[in-house]
């Protein structure tokens, strides 16, 4: 019985890794249909085996080894990024009370704060101007939007009066946090910026930076970088489902809302053009951050009245 929490966590990681492969298929299919084309449809029925085909292709290709790069950091940073993307799952409210952390919110902040370092190390160690510029953009963007992300989360935490994500389910039996529409909208925008997704994909600005911070990566290490990226998309989709909707752990609504948010992130990529970088910073420091600060004060005041 004492090994059950560890077993649950390992099974969850395994399921997450498998889900990441099919999120890429979902994205390619949705983008295809939105652009009036079929998307992957050759490998297996309806292209279901396409993720496996992509994995075999990437992991069997020859690896690019830039001569002037810092080779140790160059190959360590993708693994570090994937490790943190896997480790962040420990904060999610799992199947029972003993599997949750008392200070899961602080753990989330710690891992998100470290998340920018693999991108920064990857860009610097590549010894490429495009990679370095992409990593510096990602650094400024992540630091900026993490502040508003933290404020929005704290405003919810002050109402439940706990740092455990399990308490969100218990609090939202009568009232969804989603009904705070301004807070919910700011959360979605901040998550898009935190994940470096369109319209805030400046770390990988293909039209400006070749491929951004991962320009010099190829083969298996390239696949590891994108596994980490899509793992974070899956994590934030499920975290949003937990923190803004009443979704019990075994409910189909938990999966339904998570799929809905994943679709939203893909939909944004299909429809929205890339923001200009100065407008990205303007949006954060002049609009999102003041509103999230005001939201924090209002939620604190509301909590005091309720108590």
């Amino acid at each position: 019985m004492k090994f059950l929490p560890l077993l649950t966590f390992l099974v969850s990681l395994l399921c997450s890794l498998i889900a990441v492969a099919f999120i890429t298929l979902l994205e390619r299919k949705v983008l295809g249909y939105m652009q009036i084309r079929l998307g992957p449809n050759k490998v297996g029925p309806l292209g279901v085996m396409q993720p496996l085909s992509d994995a075999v292709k990437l992991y069997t290709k020859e690896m690019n080894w830039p001569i002037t790069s810092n080779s140790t950091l160059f190959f360590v940073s993708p693994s570090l990024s994937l490790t943190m993307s896997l480790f962040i799952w420990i904060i999610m409210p799992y199947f029972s009370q003993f599997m949750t952390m008392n200070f899961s919110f602080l753990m989330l902040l710690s891992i998100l704060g470290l998340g920018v370092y693999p991108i920064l190390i990857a860009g610097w160690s590549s010894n490429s101007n495009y990679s370095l510029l992409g990593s510096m953009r990602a650094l400024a963007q992540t630091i900026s939007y993490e502040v508003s992300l933290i404020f929005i989360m704290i405003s919810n935490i002050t109402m439940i009066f706990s740092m455990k994500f399990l308490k969100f389910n218990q609090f939202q039996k009568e009232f969804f946090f989603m009904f705070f529409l301004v807070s919910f909208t700011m959360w979605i925008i901040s998550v898009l910026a935190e994940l470096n997704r369109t319209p805030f994909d400046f770390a990988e600005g293909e039209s400006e930076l070749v491929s951004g911070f991962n320009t010099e990566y190829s083969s298996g290490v390239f696949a590891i970088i994108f596994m980490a990226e899509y793992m974070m998309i899956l994590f934030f989709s499920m975290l949003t489902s937990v923190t803004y909707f009443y979704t019990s752990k075994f409910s189909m609504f938990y999966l339904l809302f998570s799929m809905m948010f994943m679709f939203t992130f893909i939909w944004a990529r299909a429809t929205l053009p890339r923001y200009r970088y100065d407008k990205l910073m303007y949006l954060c420091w002049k609009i999102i951050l003041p509103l999230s600060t005001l939201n924090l004060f209002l939620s604190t005041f509301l909590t005091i009245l309720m108590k």
Side-chain angles (χ1 to χ4, degrees):
M1 189 70 181
K2 62 181 179 181
F3 294 109
L4 186 59
L6 179 61
L7 181 62
T8 305
F9 180 59
L10 293 177
V11 170
S12 302
L13 290 188
L14 181 62
C15 294
S16 302
L17 287 169
I18 296 171
V20 161
F22 289 97
I23 292 172
T24 61
L25 177 64
L26 172 69
E27 180 168 38
R28 294 171 71 179
K29 278 288 189 182
V30 170
L31 291 177
Y33 289 132
M34 286 189 172
Q35 294 164 0
I36 321 178
R37 55 185 177 84
L38 293 176
N41 66 336
K42 299 295 183 185
V43 187
L46 300 175
V48 168
M49 299 303 292
Q50 187 67 47
L52 178 62
S53 174
D54 291 338
V56 171
K57 181 195 74 170
L58 283 170
Y59 284 105
T60 55
K61 285 179 71 175
E62 182 181 358
M63 189 175 294
N64 180 36
W65 195 295
I67 299 172
T68 58
S69 68
N70 187 324
S71 56
T72 303
L73 295 176
F74 182 78
F75 289 109
V76 163
S77 59
S79 303
L80 183 62
S81 179
L82 182 60
T83 301
M84 283 193 288
S85 299
L86 290 170
F87 195 60
I88 201 171
W89 285 95
I90 199 171
I91 73 164
M92 290 297 286
Y94 284 117
F95 300 109
S96 62
Q97 180 75 25
F98 60 79
M99 192 58 199
T100 58
M101 301 177 66
N102 287 329
F103 296 97
S104 49
F105 172 66
L106 294 181
M107 189 67 176
L108 173 66
L109 296 189
S110 303
I111 297 175
L112 287 182
L114 292 172
V116 73
Y117 286 103
I119 296 178
L120 186 62
I121 293 170
W124 176 81
S125 62
S126 297
N127 199 22
S128 164
N129 291 335
Y130 295 117
S131 301
L132 182 61
L133 186 56
S135 64
M136 294 300 290
R137 282 181 169 193
L139 176 66
Q141 176 179 328
T142 306
I143 289 174
S144 300
Y145 277 88
E146 261 181 20
V147 178
S148 58
L149 201 69
I150 291 167
F151 277 16
I152 295 165
M153 185 64 76
I154 290 175
S155 66
N156 294 341
I157 282 174
T158 54
M159 298 192 71
I160 66 172
F161 218 66
S162 172
M163 291 191 179
K164 292 178 67 172
F165 285 114
L166 189 65
K167 295 288 185 182
F168 278 92
N169 285 339
Q170 299 169 2
F171 185 85
Q172 294 183 95
K173 290 180 180 178
E174 298 178 359
F175 183 81
F176 289 176
F177 280 126
M178 189 270 293
F179 293 133
F180 295 121
L181 292 178
V182 176
S183 173
F184 182 63
T185 305
M186 290 190 299
W187 169 264
I188 295 296
I189 293 172
S190 300
V191 166
L192 281 171
E194 181 72 22
L195 294 173
N196 295 316
R197 296 287 296 178
T198 307
F200 309 122
D201 56 335
F202 296 99
E204 306 162 9
E206 292 90 351
S207 60
E208 306 161 13
L209 303 173
V210 184
S211 184
F213 74 97
N214 53 26
T215 299
E216 303 298 329
Y217 285 94
S218 62
S219 186
V221 285
F222 178 81
I224 288 172
I225 287 173
F226 277 89
M227 282 174 65
E229 180 180 329
Y230 282 92
M231 184 78 73
M232 292 301 291
I233 292 173
L234 177 62
F235 170 78
F236 270 104
S237 299
M238 291 190 167
L239 182 66
T240 307
S241 177
V242 168
T243 53
Y244 280 92
F245 295 89
Y246 173 62
T247 52
S248 62
K249 294 174 281 297
F250 296 107
S251 172
M252 283 300 294
F253 288 106
Y254 182 57
L255 298 176
L256 182 64
F257 285 129
S258 301
M259 288 290 292
M260 182 183 72
F261 289 120
M262 277 187 277
F263 177 78
T264 303
F265 297 147
I266 297 169
W267 189 7
R269 180 178 178 181
T271 55
L272 298 175
R274 185 178 297 127
Y275 230 44
R276 216 172 65 193
Y277 193 73
D278 60 321
K279 290 190 174 183
L280 168 82
M281 290 301 175
Y282 180 89
L283 177 67
C284 174
W285 296 108
K286 296 290 186 69
I287 299 174
I288 301 292
L289 186 60
L291 284 176
S292 60
T293 309
L294 178 63
N295 181 57
L296 176 59
F297 287 135
L298 289 176
S299 61
T300 306
F301 181 69
L302 185 60
T303 306
I304 294 171
L305 290 180
M306 290 170 61
K307 296 296 180 182

